[in-house]
Amino acid sequence: MSYDAEVRRARRDRGQVAIEYLGFIPILILVAMAGVQIGLIAYTAQQAGTAARAGARAASLEPGAAQEGCQNAVSDWLSVACDAAEGGDEVTVTATVEIPSIVPGWDFGDARKTATMPLDH
């Protein structure tokens, strides 16, 4: 094989590798997005637990303060709803945080956590 033929073949091979790489990029992006979404789900669940404990602590000190305690405990970009239920000498708060999605149209539901504290008032 002549030198010119080898050079042309090497140039063609480089183009083929570039095309194969471009075809693999969507798969890499999909895997990265899945990893970020799993991290968001775990973070939201952690924030829901923190909100439930903070809401229960606030409600144990002052009736009706559960929502404010929950809201102050989570990141500003997350929405949280807290339901408090007093029973006997304790209060139970359930925090519900909507799981954000980085893929439009996908809904992962809510993260719910519950905490119970003794009443101090």
Side-chain angles (χ1 to χ4, degrees):
M1 185 180 294
S2 72
Y3 176 75
D4 289 335
E6 286 182 30
V7 169
R8 276 181 286 183
R9 183 171 177 231
R11 286 185 187 154
R12 267 195 322 221
D13 287 346
R14 277 193 308 222
Q16 179 183 355
V17 170
I19 296 295
E20 289 173 358
Y21 180 72
L22 287 174
F24 194 65
I25 286 178
I27 294 169
L28 291 175
I29 290 172
L30 186 63
V31 169
M33 287 175 64
V36 170
Q37 186 63 59
I38 289 170
L40 272 174
I41 291 169
Y43 180 73
T44 303
Q46 180 268 334
Q47 288 285 286
T50 300
R53 286 188 303 277
R57 191 175 311 112
S60 74
L61 298 173
E62 182 181 335
Q67 181 62 40
E68 184 180 353
C70 286
Q71 192 64 49
N72 290 337
V74 298
S75 297
D76 292 336
W77 54 276
L78 291 173
S79 60
V80 61
C82 284
D83 296 318
E86 287 189 24
D89 59 348
E90 62 187 23
V91 63
T92 300
V93 173
T94 301
T96 304
V97 180
E98 182 181 347
I99 298 173
S101 174
I102 62 169
V103 180
W106 287 10
D107 182 20
F108 293 97
D110 299 326
R112 285 186 187 83
K113 298 289 182 174
T114 302
T116 302
M117 296 268 179
L119 290 173
D120 285 344
H121 59 266

Short mmCIF file of all heavy atoms in Angstrom, two decimals, residues 2 6 15 27 43 46 66 86 90:
data_model
loop_
_atom_site.label_atom_id
_atom_site.label_comp_id
_atom_site.label_asym_id
_atom_site.label_seq_id
_atom_site.Cartn_x
_atom_site.Cartn_y
_atom_site.Cartn_z
N SER A 2 0.54 2.22 -0.77
CA SER A 2 1.37 3.41 -0.88
C SER A 2 1.16 4.33 0.32
O SER A 2 0.18 4.21 1.06
CB SER A 2 1.04 4.16 -2.18
OG SER A 2 -0.23 4.77 -2.07
N GLU A 6 -2.31 5.19 2.72
CA GLU A 6 -2.33 5.07 4.19
C GLU A 6 -2.77 6.38 4.84
O GLU A 6 -3.52 6.37 5.82
CB GLU A 6 -0.95 4.67 4.70
CG GLU A 6 -0.62 3.23 4.42
CD GLU A 6 0.74 2.84 4.98
OE1 GLU A 6 1.15 3.42 6.00
OE2 GLU A 6 1.37 1.96 4.39
N GLY A 15 -12.32 10.54 11.10
CA GLY A 15 -13.70 10.99 10.93
C GLY A 15 -14.68 10.00 11.51
O GLY A 15 -15.69 10.37 12.11
N ILE A 27 -26.08 9.35 25.17
CA ILE A 27 -26.11 8.34 26.23
C ILE A 27 -25.41 8.90 27.48
O ILE A 27 -25.90 8.72 28.60
CB ILE A 27 -25.45 7.03 25.76
CG1 ILE A 27 -26.30 6.42 24.64
CG2 ILE A 27 -25.28 6.05 26.91
CD1 ILE A 27 -25.65 5.28 23.92
N TYR A 43 -31.82 14.30 48.18
CA TYR A 43 -31.77 15.59 48.88
C TYR A 43 -33.15 16.02 49.35
O TYR A 43 -33.32 16.51 50.46
CB TYR A 43 -31.16 16.65 47.97
CG TYR A 43 -31.06 18.01 48.60
CD1 TYR A 43 -30.10 18.27 49.58
CD2 TYR A 43 -31.92 19.04 48.24
CE1 TYR A 43 -30.00 19.51 50.18
CE2 TYR A 43 -31.83 20.29 48.84
CZ TYR A 43 -30.87 20.52 49.80
OH TYR A 43 -30.79 21.75 50.39
N GLN A 46 -34.18 14.04 52.39
CA GLN A 46 -33.46 14.54 53.56
C GLN A 46 -34.08 15.84 54.05
O GLN A 46 -34.27 16.04 55.25
CB GLN A 46 -31.98 14.73 53.21
CG GLN A 46 -31.12 15.24 54.33
CD GLN A 46 -31.02 16.76 54.35
OE1 GLN A 46 -31.16 17.43 53.33
NE2 GLN A 46 -30.79 17.31 55.52
N ALA A 66 -46.20 24.83 63.26
CA ALA A 66 -45.56 23.75 62.50
C ALA A 66 -45.16 24.19 61.09
O ALA A 66 -44.04 23.92 60.65
CB ALA A 66 -46.48 22.53 62.43
N GLU A 86 -52.04 16.96 67.09
CA GLU A 86 -51.74 16.78 68.51
C GLU A 86 -52.54 15.60 69.03
O GLU A 86 -53.70 15.42 68.70
CB GLU A 86 -52.10 18.04 69.30
CG GLU A 86 -51.14 19.17 69.08
CD GLU A 86 -51.38 20.34 70.02
OE1 GLU A 86 -51.94 20.13 71.11
OE2 GLU A 86 -50.98 21.44 69.65
N GLU A 90 -48.24 14.75 72.99
CA GLU A 90 -47.26 14.85 71.91
C GLU A 90 -47.89 15.41 70.65
O GLU A 90 -49.11 15.45 70.50
CB GLU A 90 -46.63 13.49 71.63
CG GLU A 90 -47.60 12.44 71.16
CD GLU A 90 -46.97 11.06 71.05
OE1 GLU A 90 -45.96 10.80 71.71
OE2 GLU A 90 -47.52 10.24 70.28
#
